Amino acid sequence: MSRFYVTTPIYYVNDVPHLGTAYTTIVADAVRRYHLLRGDETRMLTGTDEHGQKLEREARDRGLSPAQFVSDMSDRFEAAWPKLEVVADDFVRTTQERHERRVQELWRTIEGKGDLELGTYEGWYCVGCEEFKTEKDLLPGNVCPLHQRPVERQAGEAYFFKLSRYGERLLAHYDAHPGFVAPEGRMNEVRSFVKGGLTDLSVSRTNFSWGIPVPGNPKHVMYVWFDALANYWSVLQGKAELERFWTDATIVHLVGKDILRFHAVYWPAFLMSAGLPLPTRVFAHGFLTFNGQKMSKSLRNAVDPIGIARAFGRVAGSDAAGADVLRYQLLRAIAFGQDGDFDLAAMIERYNADLGKNLGNLLARTLGLCAKMTGGKVPAAGEWTALEKELHVAIEGSWREATRAWDGLEPHRALEKTLAIASAANQYVDRAAPWAEDKKGNRARVDTILSTLLGVLAGLSELVWPVLPAKSDELRAQLGLEAIRPEPGRDWLAPGIKALAAGAALRPGAPLFPTVDEEGARALLEALTPRIEGGAATATATTTATSTSTATPTSISISTPTPTPTSTPTSASTSTSTSTPTPITHDQFAAVDLRVGVVRTCERVPKKDKLLTLAVDLGEAQPRTIIAGLALSFQPAQLVGRKVIVIANLAPREFGKGLVSHGMLLATGPSEALTLATVEGDVAPGAKLK
Ligand code: MSP
């Protein structure tokens, strides 16, 4: 038995949980569950990053105290993850006393080593990144490429961490531990950054106060990244816990590629200075786009993962089941470590193919055959023929590759190999043809075939548990098995075909993954595609990053058998929704600049099926370029000369290289049958609506 400690980044609370942050958190949970199955003693940590200038400003902008603001927002993260079947062992908030105390202790230790020195700084600071930028990091006009906003000139007195002393030691560590940073390409990036020479790092500030006070000089608060990185260690309180999970454990930090440098350079240098052990591995994953588009808070199109899970829950039987389906798609469709697109249509397709027609079908046909041929009981296995032996070899091979993939943090591959087992078993049923043996009255053969299939399914219930915990329980219940309850020291994952107790009752139930037909898929897509899409906002509900509402699919039809009453979808259409929106104040409404525009030109956007690019006259010196998701409803020529309603003061939104929309049109209806909002009469372009 070994110990395994996995962490997610702690999330800034200026945002709400979205698909990007859910991704890392779900991977961490799945990896934790895999290690639990192996009998390891495991620990998973997630939490929220609550200090710094960005959050201080965000709170002020909302007229709240920072403490109140961060507390409300942190609660949303803590409440979100269990809805995605994530069970973390601890949730850290950097405003907790337990964290602040230990960070001050770390500071004192590093200071005691002579690695902190008072000095002055001056530079370009991106408050969004909470990081100084060099000019070569910036776009023309001193704009941060990540936040698309100009950086600020900041100067003042600060403590500096003597990072420059650690270049050689870091490089030596990378050489001695080539897996310290993964994937491999990322290790090379980090190495060349360090080889390029490290400068000392300013780790305190005096220009704001929302942070942990520097011990002995409370005029300074700690730099938010010094405070935040320490969370992984600060939560381990007491000698025994530190020994178990810091000194004597495999420690894996999962991070996005944008914050790799903090974790692979600064954090190990702080630890080296303090004389503490280093984590085992920092794994940098890629960025997700949604339906081909970049997601971010500033683009207001970040996607609510809980809405997706709930909508799939109506298909798959429960909210937990819906979370399983989302988990599966995120982990299977995107190679962990690379950028990837989360595409809803592809999700439905994969759900049908992998889960419905492969795994779900294997269970349904096996239990159907048992109901007919073995009286609904587990039969006793007889002598294996070449067919069973061949299947066994194939399963052992895929099984070992799946566990190797989990060990190497390749969940996409682990799932591919797991589903390969289900495919092999489906082919085996066809070849072994128990129905033919049954006709011949060959009882022993029928029993062997069906017990083999049940054994494969029992094994699959173990292998899928890290990703599909709710469905694993359901699968096992139908096999008459108890749900998996891992315990330290017990390895569940011995490869091969499992043996079920002969004579035990099977308990067939609802289909594990009822497939979605074309009409159901259309309704799901309609319900889940964010309302703000392609620059055309439908006039009704919007699904944005801040929405935690449940997207209600319109009339989902499920092809195999009748859904249970609890899974029957409602047929409320988003376009005719009668739900009462949250009231806004008069001032909030007045802040939206609605204007009449006239479309002067309109063209399709190459390679984007849904988008049109329009030049819209708002009575300004130049027509505005607006990118709108209208192409499924209109031919470009139909729109030229049309009067439209434009939200004229929306922040510009990027749709890819050089494609920036400077406004949004109002429309209503599904994307293939949109009606544009307009005004009657002779109204000049630019007229304000009130
Ligand atoms: N607070 C810091 C982390 C401190 S860790 C000691 C932070 N927070 S964050 O909320 O801005 O981002 C957290 C993580 O979310 C990062 O790893 C980032 O890469 C990830 N993601 C944000 N958007 C994402 C996608 N669209 N796709 C995948 N991950 C993304 O940085």
Side-chain angles (χ1 to χ4, degrees):
M1 184 188 70
S2 34
R3 286 200 195 90
F4 182 81
Y5 179 25
V6 63
T7 67
T8 73
I10 48 172
Y11 303 115
Y12 284 131
V13 291
N14 63 323
D15 212 337
V16 289
H18 58 70
L19 203 62
T21 45
Y23 178 50
T24 333
T25 314
I26 289 172
V27 174
D29 179 74
V31 170
R32 171 192 79 93
R33 286 176 186 269
Y34 166 71
H35 281 273
L36 278 173
L37 279 185
R38 297 253 74 155
D40 291 346
E41 208 183 320
T42 64
R43 189 182 169 93
M44 171 181 162
L45 175 69
T46 187
T48 44
D49 191 353
E50 303 184 11
H51 287 129
Q53 210 166 356
K54 170 160 63 180
L55 297 174
E56 190 183 69
R57 285 186 188 174
E58 188 93 23
R60 193 188 53 208
D61 290 350
R62 294 174 194 225
L64 296 170
S65 72
Q68 188 188 348
F69 169 64
V70 299
S71 188
D72 292 350
M73 295 298 285
S74 175
D75 289 348
R76 297 174 74 162
F77 280 87
E78 199 166 1
W81 304 140
K83 294 185 183 135
L84 299 174
E85 297 290 287
V86 169
V87 186
D89 297 282
D90 196 357
F91 186 95
V92 61
R93 298 185 48 190
T94 53
T95 48
Q96 287 164 338
E97 192 272 335
R98 63 168 179 165
H99 169 75
E100 298 195 356
R101 190 168 30 83
R102 294 292 302 291
V103 177
Q104 289 186 323
E105 192 186 296
L106 183 70
W107 181 282
R108 276 195 221 95
T109 311
I110 293 178
E111 194 172 36
K113 295 284 170 67
D115 278 338
L116 288 173
E117 223 171 55
L118 208 51
T120 53
Y121 66 87
E122 180 169 2
W124 295 111
Y125 195 72
C126 172
V127 176
C129 295
E130 293 280 17
E131 188 185 18
F132 276 109
K133 302 279 179 184
T134 59
E135 274 166 23
K136 70 175 175 10
D137 295 330
L138 300 172
L139 300 173
N142 289 334
V143 168
C144 165
L146 285 175
H147 290 89
Q148 295 289 325
R149 251 180 274 146
V151 292
E152 297 173 16
R153 196 74 190 161
Q154 291 195 358
E157 182 188 81
Y159 284 90
F160 281 80
F161 171 72
K162 303 298 262 175
L163 184 64
S164 54
R165 290 179 179 162
Y166 287 89
E168 290 307 315
R169 281 180 64 185
L170 284 167
L171 288 171
H173 186 81
Y174 304 151
D175 287 344
H177 304 86
F180 179 67
V181 171
E184 216 179 317
R186 300 279 171 209
M187 178 79 266
N188 300 336
E189 271 171 32
V190 168
R191 205 181 257 121
S192 48
F193 173 75
V194 175
K195 276 192 180 148
L198 296 175
T199 51
D200 294 342
L201 183 71
S202 73
V203 287
S204 76
R205 294 284 183 278
T206 54
N207 58 337
F208 68 98
S209 60
W210 183 239
I212 302 181
V214 164
N217 193 351
K219 188 169 87 176
H220 288 252
V221 292
M222 291 179 200
Y223 172 42
V224 62
W225 273 101
F226 183 93
D227 155 1
L229 287 163
N231 86 88
Y232 306 124
W233 166 86
S234 75
V235 294
L236 301 171
Q237 306 257 329
K239 199 163 165 274
E241 212 174 32
L242 270 168
E243 265 169 21
R244 282 173 58 216
F245 282 104
W246 201 262
T247 317
D248 194 15
T250 298
I251 306 170
V252 175
H253 295 321
L254 303 182
V255 301
K257 63 182 181 182
D258 54 327
I259 57 170
L260 176 60
R261 187 184 297 174
F262 295 96
H263 286 82
V265 181
Y266 305 160
W267 176 226
F270 297 159
L271 288 167
M272 280 173 174
S273 169
L276 291 166
L278 266 48
T280 318
R281 175 171 292 192
V282 179
F283 192 103
H285 65 73
F287 258 58
L288 299 191
T289 48
F290 179 75
N291 287 352
Q293 290 185 7
K294 220 164 125 182
M295 277 186 296
S296 80
K297 191 180 178 224
S298 46
L299 296 180
R300 304 194 312 117
N301 66 345
V303 176
D304 170 22
I306 295 167
I308 298 180
R310 289 209 180 124
F312 269 89
R314 290 195 186 82
V315 177
S318 66
D319 285 352
D324 278 15
V325 178
L326 174 68
R327 291 165 66 100
Y328 181 79
Q329 178 66 8
L330 281 170
L331 270 64
R332 174 67 189 89
I334 298 148
F336 194 55
Q338 290 169 28
D339 291 341
D341 187 44
F342 184 91
D343 182 288
L344 282 170
M347 177 173 178
I348 299 172
E349 242 172 68
R350 194 183 287 283
Y351 166 81
N352 276 341
D354 291 8
L355 300 179
K357 293 183 184 147
N358 191 358
L359 179 57
N361 185 38
L362 181 66
L363 177 71
R365 61 199 296 216
T366 303
L367 293 185
L369 289 166
C370 290
K372 241 164 78 193
M373 298 174 191
T374 69
K377 296 212 157 71
V378 177
E383 197 71 13
W384 276 5
T385 67
L387 277 182
E388 284 74 38
K389 286 181 192 153
E390 202 183 301
L391 177 69
H392 181 73
V393 169
I395 288 179
E396 276 209 345
S398 296
W399 192 293
R400 285 185 208 287
E401 285 186 80
T403 51
R404 210 174 302 131
W406 277 117
D407 288 328
L409 287 172
E410 298 178 295
H412 56 287
R413 208 172 135 70
L415 288 172
E416 182 195 335
K417 295 297 160 194
T418 302
L419 269 289
I421 294 176
S423 306
N426 269 316
Q427 282 162 21
Y428 162 80
V429 196
D430 295 337
R431 290 170 70 195
W435 43 89
E437 302 295 343
D438 188 49
K439 251 196 199 143
K440 283 190 249 161
N442 195 347
R443 291 258 31 94
R445 187 67 198 129
V446 168
D447 286 358
T448 302
I449 298 168
L450 295 181
S451 83
T452 302
L453 286 168
L454 291 167
V456 175
L457 282 160
L460 283 169
S461 74
E462 298 164 2
L463 274 179
V464 299
W465 186 75
V467 180
L468 305 171
K471 283 293 171 184
S472 163
D473 289 358
E474 231 178 90
L475 169 51
R476 292 178 69 82
Q478 296 205 22
L479 296 175
L481 299 172
E482 300 267 308
I484 289 176
R485 296 281 170 263
E487 37 189 291
R490 170 174 179 189
D491 185 358
W492 283 78
L493 293 179
I497 298 170
K498 306 283 151 126
L500 274 74
L506 297 165
R507 309 197 183 285
L512 204 55
F513 299 104
T515 50
V516 180
D517 66 13
E518 239 175 75
E519 194 190 324
R522 219 174 304 122
L524 257 180
L525 285 176
E526 177 59 27
L528 285 175
T529 305
R531 300 290 94 198
I532 294 179
E533 195 197 60
T538 53
T540 54
T542 58
T543 307
T544 67
T546 47
S547 158
T548 50
S549 65
T550 312
T552 312
T554 51
S555 16
I556 295 165
S557 41
I558 297 167
S559 60
T560 44
T562 329
T564 58
T566 50
S567 67
T568 309
T570 59
S571 56
S573 153
T574 45
S575 56
T576 55
S577 167
T578 50
S579 65
T580 322
T582 320
I584 58 167
T585 63
H586 187 272
D587 285 349
Q588 282 170 318
F589 173 69
V592 182
D593 189 12
L594 290 173
R595 299 210 175 242
V596 175
V598 176
V599 180
R600 297 296 179 207
T601 63
C602 179
E603 285 166 14
R604 291 191 179 279
V605 177
K607 294 197 205 137
K608 307 258 180 194
D609 309 348
K610 296 186 189 161
L611 300 186
L612 296 178
T613 177
L614 304 100
V616 181
D617 185 352
L618 290 179
E620 298 167 321
Q622 297 282 335
R624 296 256 192 130
T625 301
I626 294 182
I627 317 287
L630 302 171
L632 301 182
S633 301
F634 301 98
Q635 295 300 325
Q638 287 176 286
L639 294 178
V640 176
R642 288 275 283 267
K643 239 180 266 145
V644 289
I645 307 299
V646 177
I647 306 178
N649 62 340
L650 265 187
R653 183 180 165 194
E654 213 190 298
F655 287 89
K657 267 211 178 117
L659 267 186
V660 180
S661 186
H662 297 273
M664 188 188 277
L665 306 187
L666 294 188
T668 182
S671 28
E672 332 56 90
L674 284 165
T675 305
L676 281 168
T678 187
V679 281
E680 285 187 354
D682 192 14
V683 184
K688 191 168 166 54
L689 274 91
K690 42 194 177 203

